[in-house]
Amino acid sequence: QDNLELNLLRSSIAWPETPPLLSNFFLNDTSDPAHSTFTILPRKDGGSWHIGDQLEVLIKMNDFLGRPKKSGGDVLFARLHNPNVRAGVAGRVSDHGDGSYTAVFPLLWEGRAQVEVTLVHPSEAVTVLRKLNLEQPDRIYFQSIFRSGRVSETTTCNVCLKAPKEKLCNFTDPYTGEPWFCYKPKKLNCDSRFTHAKGGFNKKLTRMEEKLFQSGVNSKMSIPASGLSNITISPKPQEETNQSIKTKPAGYYYQGVWRALDGTRVLQFNTSTAVSQCLKGKVLHLYGDSTIRQWFEYLTESLPGLKKFDLKTPKQNGPFLALDPENNILVTFRCHGPPIRFGTMPANQARYIASELDSVIGGKDTVVVIGVWSHFSTFPIEVYIRRLLSIRRAVVRLLTKAPGTVVIIRTANPKALTVYETLTNSDWYSLQRDKVLREIFKGVNVQLVDAWEMTIAHHLPHSLHPQLPIIKNMIDVILSHTCPAAG
């Protein structure tokens, strides 16, 4: 059953074929944002643009010599925005496979709307990113200290290691089946493993390959417009009051506030009192990576009555616990298990979310929030799929046991890209994992915080840890699911 689903998930993230790279390829032959263009297409029925219409933008990719590209596979983001009313919405980009693309936007506000198209990676860079995950999935490596008395040894660990079984310590989780191995220490037993930590990063790129990831040249660069880059949107004609949105994003910003289009009524919790009243009598369990820990930090910093207990745990890893006795609020955070890339942590604290979920009592006053994506980018997609399937089974068990439990899943989000970030956490890797996550939890009674679109649609620069205005909107979505009657 898992294998059948695995094949379906692979097809859901199918990416167009990208150009093969010879060792002596020329940068001039690759996609260049400065020589590429986008064009706003005329309204199909002519006349002026109105709220409820759909805007189409044609994107044509050229190389560094201005020659049209003949194939697809470029990674493109598109946004429609108006800084004056702090409005923004992400566009849906379609790849036609011939060097041309279409970005589609629903028109959702009155007034000016500016189109913005960004080349995240040229298609040739995707060729390299694909190759890295196939040939160098261990480019980020981990280490464990083994200790007994005064003797200690450090060995390398990972999801998979190249060695005979007798030379490995097998730390595959007996409960979830999640694999994890370390090289066996020379003097000590496997059961003397004491810590887990990120070890380092091996960068194995050729000089030419590295040129495909140049900030200010071909990585996260704007594509210029051919002609106008903006339109003016008029109010919806009275005879079209019931016209539905054809292209439906998750939501959009207006006056800096996220308005969901997926049926969620997003309420505004603008004071600490409003947040505390929503969470009163509730238990909020947060599981995942640092993008989930960011929400724990937001709540403890913004709610005066929510006091963090000093559990003497590492600042990066946790686990953390905060309590508001007056309002009977409990908030916890626990990071997910390996391959977590945090600093040194006790090996026995490297726990898997599926195991933790099975110990949650659940019920109408329990909210579970899960965010797992960033630390899986360097591995083949199957590693991520296996983890999410394990978590999904645990979520289904929890909802069967305690149907009133609110379960919220955080999606991935785009980020600023240095060469290191690109090779370990590229937006293309995140996009693939984002699609898989949505597919896996489709049909399960969970709510999504669409961090992907909430980041792309916003005017603030992309960041692994989005800035405060975006986080505030994300927290509003969580609280709206937690207490939908609050408004």
Side-chain angles (χ1 to χ4, degrees):
Q1 193 173 1
D2 279 359
N3 284 337
L4 181 64
E5 188 164 10
L6 182 62
N7 290 330
L8 291 171
L9 290 166
R10 283 198 192 107
S11 66
S12 77
I13 59 167
W15 195 263
E17 278 299 310
T18 52
L21 287 180
L22 302 173
S23 57
N24 58 343
F25 76 92
F26 294 105
L27 188 68
N28 281 345
D29 297 333
T30 68
S31 302
D32 175 25
H35 280 91
S36 303
T37 60
F38 73 82
T39 306
I40 294 176
L41 299 180
R43 190 171 182 266
K44 284 186 177 175
D45 299 328
S48 58
W49 297 98
H50 295 92
I51 288 177
D53 285 347
Q54 182 171 278
L55 178 71
E56 290 191 12
V57 171
L58 179 64
I59 305 161
K60 291 193 172 181
M61 299 303 298
N62 297 319
D63 65 19
F64 279 80
L65 298 178
R67 299 169 300 190
K69 295 294 294 292
K70 303 294 186 187
S71 59
D74 297 292
V75 185
L76 296 164
F77 290 166
R79 181 169 78 105
L80 190 69
H81 66 109
N82 180 334
N84 295 330
V85 292
R86 292 180 293 147
V89 65
R92 190 188 71 216
V93 178
S94 299
D95 187 338
H96 303 303
D98 58 0
S100 70
Y101 303 76
T102 303
V104 180
F105 308 90
L107 302 185
L108 299 162
W109 62 83
E110 195 180 324
R112 188 182 172 91
Q114 178 87 23
V115 176
E116 184 181 277
V117 178
T118 302
L119 175 69
V120 181
H121 293 307
S123 55
E124 293 81 6
V126 174
T127 302
V128 175
L129 293 172
R130 273 177 163 156
K131 186 179 79 163
L132 283 173
N133 274 19
L134 286 171
E135 298 177 4
Q136 300 174 39
D138 58 349
R139 60 191 180 278
I140 281 190
Y141 60 94
F142 302 83
Q143 290 181 329
S144 277
I145 296 173
F146 294 77
R147 185 177 294 163
S148 179
R150 294 184 178 180
V151 180
S152 70
E153 296 180 63
T154 301
T155 74
T156 297
C157 309
N158 223 317
V159 173
C160 184
L161 293 172
K162 296 171 186 175
K165 285 184 180 180
E166 60 272 14
K167 293 193 175 180
L168 296 176
C169 291
N170 186 350
F171 296 111
T172 298
D173 184 64
Y175 190 77
T176 63
E178 289 290 348
W180 194 254
F181 299 90
C182 296
Y183 287 116
K184 194 175 281 186
K186 293 176 182 177
K187 299 176 183 176
L188 299 173
N189 296 324
C190 290
D191 57 12
S192 62
R193 179 171 172 242
F194 188 66
T195 64
H196 165 85
K198 177 186 169 184
F201 168 62
N202 293 317
K203 188 176 82 170
K204 296 176 184 173
L205 276 190
T206 67
R207 284 179 63 191
M208 280 306 297
E209 285 173 342
E210 195 160 336
K211 288 183 178 180
L212 295 170
F213 304 99
Q214 294 182 79
S215 178
V217 178
N218 53 10
S219 180
K220 278 269 172 100
M221 290 296 294
S222 291
I223 290 173
S226 172
L228 289 175
S229 63
N230 60 79
I231 61 168
T232 300
I233 307 167
S234 301
K236 184 185 292 187
Q238 287 185 342
E239 65 270 18
E240 296 180 7
T241 50
N242 294 322
Q243 184 181 359
S244 61
I245 300 169
K246 294 173 188 172
T247 302
K248 209 165 189 180
Y252 67 104
Y253 289 103
Y254 190 77
Q255 297 296 354
V257 172
W258 181 252
R259 297 182 174 188
L261 293 172
D262 61 0
T264 303
R265 181 166 166 255
V266 181
L267 307 169
Q268 298 302 299
F269 298 83
N270 295 330
T271 66
S272 59
T273 304
V275 177
S276 295
Q277 281 300 113
C278 173
L279 294 176
K280 190 169 186 174
K282 298 195 183 294
V283 177
L284 179 60
H285 293 301
L286 307 173
Y287 301 103
D289 53 33
S290 59
T291 63
I292 292 291
R293 186 188 67 219
Q294 188 180 15
W295 291 353
F296 179 91
E297 291 162 352
Y298 176 91
L299 289 171
T300 53
E301 288 166 10
S302 59
L303 299 182
L306 188 64
K307 303 298 182 185
K308 182 179 170 183
F309 275 69
D310 185 3
L311 300 177
K312 309 298 181 188
T313 52
K315 279 186 177 182
Q316 206 179 18
N317 313 320
F320 303 132
L321 183 149
L323 184 66
D324 178 346
E326 186 179 331
N327 291 300
N328 192 25
I329 302 168
L330 174 66
V331 183
T332 69
F333 166 78
R334 180 175 282 280
C335 68
H336 66 73
I340 195 82
R341 298 180 199 155
F342 288 168
T344 302
M345 63 192 292
N348 63 6
Q349 289 296 324
R351 300 180 192 174
Y352 294 92
I353 290 175
S355 304
E356 295 297 307
L357 288 178
D358 283 337
S359 66
V360 172
I361 297 169
K364 63 181 179 62
D365 292 323
T366 300
V367 181
V368 170
V369 181
I370 301 166
V372 178
W373 58 279
S374 179
H375 297 243
F376 287 81
S377 297
T378 55
F379 299 100
I381 196 68
E382 291 78 8
V383 175
Y384 185 59
I385 289 172
R386 178 173 54 211
R387 181 64 54 90
L388 288 191
L389 290 176
S390 169
I391 291 171
R392 187 184 68 184
R393 286 190 285 266
V395 166
V396 170
R397 288 193 295 269
L398 173 60
L399 292 174
T400 303
K401 174 179 70 176
T405 309
V406 176
V407 179
I408 298 169
I409 310 289
R410 184 200 195 279
T411 73
N413 62 263
K415 63 197 74 64
L417 294 179
T418 61
V419 172
Y420 169 79
E421 280 292 339
T422 300
L423 301 183
T424 60
N425 222 356
S426 156
D427 283 351
W428 182 74
Y429 290 142
S430 300
L431 178 60
Q432 300 290 86
R433 278 136 196 82
D434 184 71
K435 289 179 180 178
V436 161
L437 180 142
R438 292 168 194 268
E439 202 64 37
I440 283 179
F441 283 98
K442 192 183 287 183
V444 183
N445 187 21
V446 300
Q447 310 299 329
L448 282 187
V449 174
D450 202 319
W452 190 265
E453 286 198 24
M454 292 180 83
T455 302
I456 287 184
H458 206 278
H459 68 86
L460 285 170
H462 298 170
S463 171
L464 175 61
H465 302 109
Q467 292 185 38
L468 202 57
I470 300 175
I471 293 300
K472 197 273 179 190
N473 276 290
M474 290 178 177
I475 294 294
D476 281 342
V477 174
I478 292 173
L479 295 175
S480 297
H481 290 304
T482 302
C483 37

